[in-house]
Amino acid sequence: MKSLLKGAIVSILTFEARLLLRRTKPTIIAITGSVGKTTTKDAIYAVLKDRRSARKSEKSYNSELGVPLTILGLENAWSNPFQWVKNIFDGLLVALMPHEYPEVLVLEMGVDRPGDMQRFTRWIKPDIVVLTRLPDVPVHVEYFDSPEAVTEEKLTLVQALKPDGVLVYNNDDEQIRKFVEGVTYKTIGYSRYSPTDFAATQDVVRYEDGSPVGLSFTLSHKHEAVTVELDGCIGVQHTYCAAAAASVGSLFGLSIEDVVAALKGYVPPPGRMRLLPGIKETLVIDDSYNSSPVAMERALLTLKEIRGAKRRIAVLGDMLELGRFSSEAHQEAGKQVANTAQILVTVGIRSRVIADSALHHGMNKESVFQYDDAQTAVRELSGILADGDVVLVKGSQSIRLERVVEGIMAEPKRASELLVRQSRAWRDK
């Protein structure tokens, strides 16, 4: 019954969103990939919002329900049936009644199961598609026949581009680069490592008084090069987001200087390699939003690069929805963490494989702690921490590692502002 009701709500809201798009005809920027969709979406919005009337997907609303809600400008009602009835009524008014509507929609579009992207492309025809990254073992592969099937599903979005549409793509991704060779649309590449239209290179962690405070890198296009500084976050993934935002900005007449100015004060969304002061004079790298093999690898590489840490501590939760690739992915994470951190804390049943692999690759048994849930882990972790520790926290959404971050952050009263999944619906789960 619940699934039937959800299906009915999705169908009605989708119908209303289709009517609205047909009437208002905004420029649609659609973002997909297996890594970095939300941060890329937010960076693009940050660059455009002061130049155009724009709306973005809130948080990570990229599903069959989240996308229509974004287009209609409605809130997620979660389990409140009365609010859903109100949403349906309000959505009809928005769809039919004349009113001011954004010129630009920046939509994050994800897939969980086969056919998800095809359902989107039946009624959404983007003007610009942004491809972030399509790794060898993508998240959600559990529900597909193969990783290639996940890639094929996501690339369906490119086929929905309008005839004069533009494809903005990650030129460092080999799969995407090969795909682009056969594309007839106008294309713009962005990268960190390979030569292309827009490149974000020479990224380094910025320090103040010996502690990391942000990220610095060079953003270049043709013969122009400008330094970008982002506060409160680290990790190469943020360079990709800035380069993607610059690529899209160029289609709206923005120079890289304009992009850099727009990114001043920009902070990535919570749970994406955010720097937070921790208890006992520690530093927390909060990457608790979600996890996948390639994102785990990037996060651990960033932890390894931190200078001046007395101890590097990795708090790692299960990586979910990997299907038959799960064991291998967790083993690889354990191998990497053994060469990265002095202490490993795992949370969840699957992440026990991370612990076993780390021990196998030389980590001391006394330095590995295993817990089944976040509540238990945070109680024990507070006793492990010491002045000067740098703590990376990363795991899949269902493991709820934001609870660990809340338990070890110096300002827990700011959790609703700084952490992911802080709505009442999430906190009550």
Side-chain angles (χ1 to χ4, degrees):
M1 178 63 75
K2 187 175 180 181
S3 61
L4 288 175
L5 288 173
K6 179 183 177 182
I9 291 169
V10 168
S11 296
I12 295 170
L13 293 177
T14 298
F15 174 73
E16 294 171 348
R18 292 179 73 165
L19 286 178
L20 182 58
L21 292 182
R22 193 175 301 166
R23 182 171 65 80
T24 57
K25 297 179 173 57
T27 298
I28 298 176
I29 303 169
I31 302 155
T32 196
S34 294
V35 177
K37 294 187 295 295
T38 301
T39 45
T40 300
K41 174 256 301 178
D42 281 8
I44 290 171
Y45 176 78
V47 165
L48 296 180
K49 64 182 176 64
D50 293 330
R51 300 299 183 107
R52 296 287 193 278
S53 170
R55 174 184 294 170
K56 65 173 180 174
S57 300
E58 290 302 316
K59 301 179 182 178
S60 297
Y61 289 174
N62 60 26
S63 66
E64 61 178 356
L65 185 58
V67 171
L69 287 174
T70 297
I71 293 170
L72 294 166
L74 302 174
E75 295 286 332
N76 191 332
W78 296 99
S79 57
N80 186 333
F82 301 104
Q83 186 62 45
W84 281 120
V85 172
K86 184 177 185 301
N87 272 348
I88 290 171
F89 179 74
D90 290 346
L92 187 61
L93 290 179
V94 170
L96 297 178
M97 300 297 290
H99 67 288
E100 187 174 342
Y101 192 75
E103 299 173 65
V104 180
L105 290 178
V106 187
L107 302 178
E108 178 181 341
M109 298 171 66
V111 301
D112 288 327
R113 287 168 171 76
D116 283 352
M117 191 63 77
Q118 292 178 357
R119 281 185 281 274
F120 280 137
T121 57
R122 288 173 191 155
W123 60 282
I124 296 177
K125 305 301 178 184
D127 298 272
I128 301 168
V129 167
V130 181
L131 294 178
T132 59
R133 187 170 176 185
L134 300 172
D136 293 336
V137 183
V139 68
H140 306 309
V141 69
E142 179 178 8
Y143 305 110
F144 289 81
D145 292 336
S146 66
E148 292 76 20
V150 182
T151 297
E152 184 177 345
E153 183 75 25
K154 290 180 182 288
L155 292 177
T156 302
L157 182 61
V158 179
Q159 300 168 14
L161 269 168
K162 293 177 181 177
D164 59 347
V166 180
L167 172 61
V168 175
Y169 67 98
N170 183 339
N171 194 60
D172 286 342
D173 187 298
E174 186 176 353
Q175 288 190 76
I176 294 177
R177 195 164 58 244
K178 288 181 178 178
F179 170 78
V180 169
E181 291 175 0
V183 167
T184 57
Y185 297 103
K186 176 182 177 180
T187 62
I188 299 176
Y190 67 91
S191 70
R192 163 59 181 87
Y193 300 103
S194 58
T196 192
D197 301 294
F198 289 85
T201 59
Q202 302 175 13
D203 52 292
V204 294
V205 178
R206 290 169 38 235
Y207 294 84
E208 289 182 5
D209 299 325
S211 182
V213 295
L215 178 70
S216 175
F217 55 92
T218 299
L219 180 63
S220 59
H221 173 59
K222 295 182 178 178
H223 302 297
E224 300 177 273
V226 183
T227 299
V228 181
E229 292 186 350
L230 299 180
D231 295 325
C233 65
I234 55 176
V236 69
Q237 51 268 57
H238 298 302
T239 69
Y240 283 107
C241 299
S247 302
V248 173
S250 71
L251 298 172
F252 292 83
L254 276 68
S255 67
I256 60 171
E257 288 86 359
D258 295 330
V259 170
V260 172
L263 289 175
K264 283 184 178 178
Y266 164 73
V267 179
R272 279 82 166 185
M273 297 299 286
R274 291 273 293 268
L275 297 172
L276 302 175
I279 61 173
K280 301 181 180 180
E281 302 299 321
T282 61
L283 178 68
V284 180
I285 305 173
D286 177 16
D287 202 27
S288 60
Y289 168 67
N290 208 350
S291 192
S292 66
V294 66
M296 179 73 78
E297 178 185 16
R298 283 182 177 176
L300 288 170
L301 284 172
T302 301
L303 176 64
K304 187 174 183 178
E305 292 170 359
I306 296 294
R307 301 197 311 261
K310 290 186 178 178
R311 295 185 302 180
R312 296 178 182 86
I313 299 176
V315 181
L316 307 180
D318 294 357
M319 293 183 284
L320 303 178
E321 300 179 350
L322 297 179
R324 66 182 184 275
F325 299 97
S326 179
S327 180
E328 180 181 352
H330 287 86
Q331 287 176 23
E332 185 59 32
K335 177 181 178 181
Q336 188 178 5
V337 79
N339 295 311
T340 300
Q342 285 73 52
I343 293 178
L344 168 64
V345 177
T346 66
V347 184
I349 296 174
R350 293 171 182 83
S351 63
R352 293 174 185 172
V353 178
I354 298 178
D356 291 342
S357 178
L359 292 168
H360 176 74
H361 286 91
M363 205 162 193
N364 294 326
K365 186 175 182 180
E366 295 77 15
S367 301
V368 178
F369 303 85
Q370 302 179 60
Y371 306 103
D372 289 339
D373 57 78
Q375 292 91 333
T376 305
V378 72
R379 286 196 300 267
E380 300 297 327
L381 183 60
S382 58
I384 297 172
L385 297 181
D387 183 354
D389 289 341
V390 176
V391 187
L392 168 68
V393 182
K394 184 167 187 62
S396 282
Q397 181 171 270
S398 299
I399 306 303
R400 306 300 304 277
L401 290 192
E402 76 276 5
R403 291 170 172 166
V404 171
V405 179
E406 183 175 3
I408 63 173
M409 65 191 294
E411 300 178 281
K413 290 183 179 180
R414 297 182 64 195
S416 61
E417 170 193 353
L418 298 175
L419 306 187
V420 294
R421 295 182 284 273
Q422 294 301 298
S423 67
R424 174 173 292 183
W426 269 110
R427 291 183 71 88
D428 289 345
K429 284 187 178 182

